[in-house]
Amino acid sequence: VWVSKPTNPDGTPRTDEKNPDPKLRTRKPEEIVMVWNLQFDGEEWVKGTIYDPFSGGKFGVKFKLAKNGSDMIARYYKGVPAMGMNATWKRVK
């Protein structure tokens, strides 16, 4: 787990403060499961769910290997993939 800003501006450790479940708001970043239920269909990973700790929201997600063979293209969406957005996940070497 890597967190670009591990502390809040006041110096306290970041937690899952935006979680809609009050019991989970004290979780540390390394305790949060971000992606689950992905299924490989032979070409890409589909039918997954991703949690966004910045908003506390859950979204559909699917991944496919980028043309460079190293990175992943993530498609985040609410409802149907056609109404979503892409992001590239870079492999750290």
Side-chain angles (χ1 to χ4, degrees):
V1 173
W2 178 78
V3 180
S4 63
K5 295 178 183 176
T7 58
N8 293 311
D10 66 0
T12 59
R14 282 188 174 267
T15 60
D16 193 11
E17 63 189 32
K18 303 276 181 155
N19 197 301
D21 183 344
K23 294 180 283 186
L24 300 177
R25 292 182 186 157
T26 59
R27 292 190 299 181
K28 297 174 189 163
E30 64 269 19
E31 298 171 333
I32 301 170
V33 175
M34 301 288 289
V35 179
W36 61 96
N37 290 340
L38 286 170
Q39 301 171 24
F40 189 66
D41 75 356
E43 294 182 15
E44 59 186 5
W45 291 264
V46 298
K47 299 182 182 177
T49 302
I50 190 165
Y51 172 68
D52 173 19
F54 296 105
S55 70
K58 294 178 186 172
F59 303 90
V61 68
K62 65 182 193 172
F63 291 91
K64 66 180 177 182
L65 194 60
K67 290 181 182 178
N68 68 11
S70 178
D71 300 333
M72 300 292 288
I73 306 298
R75 179 80 178 170
Y76 310 111
Y77 57 91
K78 271 284 199 201
V80 294
M83 300 299 291
M85 63 177 269
N86 289 348
T88 300
W89 286 30
K90 298 276 187 188
R91 177 177 279 186
V92 177
K93 298 179 182 182

